[in-house]
Amino acid sequence: EIRLVESGGGLVQAGGSLRLSCAASGLRFDDYAIGWFRQAPGKEREGFSCVSYRDGSTYYTDSVKGRFTISSDKAKKMVYLRMNSLRPEDTAVYYCGVELLGYCSSAAWSEFDYWGQGTQVTVSS
């Protein structure tokens, strides 16, 4: 059974930093992609970053580019998200998901699945 567990959220002031973690288990093959998504109150869940173990590629949407950094430890099946210069509009529940064919891009957002329970990130102004 594929399972993802997010952690590391919390309350931080604008301009602060957090590091989120995503622990994956139950994945039988190595060529998958892990994506980070977030869902703000009243809005749909949106993808904003991913990393592919198939080709090592990473992707960021413009809204987080330059502020967030995705990294991974393949041996530990862990993916991390370092978030700097946080803004109140970053407030959301953050989720990680897996794309089993290893495609990492905005075109692949709909293919991500196996969501964890999410971790709340709140940025105060």
Side-chain angles (χ1 to χ4, degrees), residues 18-75:
L18 283 173
R19 190 180 84 150
L20 305 185
S21 298
C22 173
S25 61
L27 288 158
R28 297 175 56 193
F29 305 103
D30 291 337
D31 292 341
Y32 55 89
I34 296 291
W36 282 101
F37 292 68
R38 62 188 180 185
Q39 187 168 18
K43 295 187 177 181
E44 293 187 354
R45 183 157 51 195
E46 61 173 5
F48 62 88
S49 183
C50 54
V51 58
S52 171
Y53 285 135
R54 183 177 60 88
D55 60 9
S57 61
T58 58
Y59 175 84
Y60 302 91
T61 58
D62 289 343
S63 61
V64 305
K65 195 176 296 182
R67 300 188 299 125
F68 292 7
T69 303
I70 193 168
S71 61
S72 64
D73 185 329
K74 190 172 184 178

